Amino acid sequence: MLFELCQKDGRQVDFKYSWKGEKNIASVYVDGTFIASASSEQKENAKLHVAKAALVKLCNSKSNDQMRDVFTSTTEIDGAKQKLHELCGKKRWPKPSYEIKKEIGPSHERKYICSVRIKTADNVMYVEGDEKSRVREAENSAASLMIRGLLELKNV
């Protein structure tokens, strides 16, 4: 999501790595400007931690309208399930829970409808997604609709 956010703004993201003892240190730069750094014994974990820290820092510096633009479009949101998970983490809400609501058709042409439920600070929100040929796609459809619903309610 860090790359997507920066790409949308036409900004360049660079990771730089160094070592201090047994620790890998990852730093992220946006358009040559230092944003954040993190360390771990594993290089990939350091990269994940610094990407998360940079995303939080960049999201906090952007206005809510600009953040809404990341999630709005007329089609289903790519990677909506992951984005919803990240959004819940950012808002300090529990993780979303998914459930297969319907299985339609014979086993060789099965279609699925999934739902997603999240508990916000004020209430519990529930959405059913569109019919899809794979469970993962059905979950993503539900997550996409949930994000759109949160946008309409101005919870993002």
Side-chain angles (χ1 to χ4, degrees):
M1 186 148 172
L2 175 63
F3 286 106
E4 181 180 281
L5 179 67
C6 291
Q7 183 181 20
K8 185 169 182 61
D9 290 341
R11 299 161 77 182
Q12 176 67 39
V13 178
D14 292 305
F15 287 91
K16 296 186 180 177
Y17 303 97
S18 60
W19 297 267
K20 188 173 186 178
E22 293 185 17
K23 293 276 187 181
N24 288 285
I25 301 169
S27 300
V28 67
Y29 294 80
V30 175
D31 290 337
T33 303
F34 173 80
I35 302 297
S37 68
S39 65
S40 177
E41 291 181 6
Q42 289 86 26
K43 182 178 177 180
E44 285 303 308
N45 285 345
K47 183 178 180 181
L48 289 172
H49 293 304
V50 76
K52 182 178 179 182
L55 189 58
V56 167
K57 191 170 183 179
L58 291 170
C59 286
N60 287 338
S61 70
K62 295 176 76 71
S63 73
N64 285 340
D65 289 339
Q66 288 173 312
M67 280 308 295
R68 277 192 193 94
D69 290 343
V70 172
F71 294 117
T72 52
S73 70
T74 57
T75 60
E76 194 168 286
I77 299 168
D78 289 332
K81 190 173 174 183
Q82 179 182 349
K83 290 174 184 172
L84 181 60
H85 183 83
E86 290 168 358
L87 177 64
C88 288
K90 180 182 172 202
K91 295 281 195 176
R92 301 192 191 286
W93 296 337
K95 294 177 188 176
S97 61
Y98 295 88
E99 183 180 345
I100 298 172
K101 297 307 287 184
K102 294 180 187 168
E103 293 183 36
I104 305 159
S107 60
H108 65 282
E109 290 181 350
R110 185 82 21 121
K111 301 279 186 182
Y112 302 92
I113 296 176
C114 287
S115 66
V116 62
R117 180 183 312 269
I118 61 171
K119 184 175 182 183
T120 66
D122 302 327
N123 57 20
V124 176
M125 299 186 69
Y126 171 87
V127 173
E128 279 190 17
D130 297 326
E131 184 179 296
K132 300 289 180 177
S133 59
R134 293 186 177 151
V135 172
R136 180 180 288 166
E137 291 171 356
E139 289 173 341
N140 195 69
S141 172
S144 186
L145 291 172
M146 178 64 78
I147 290 171
R148 293 194 195 293
L150 290 168
L151 287 168
E152 287 177 21
L153 295 172
K154 310 230 187 278
N155 278 343
V156 176

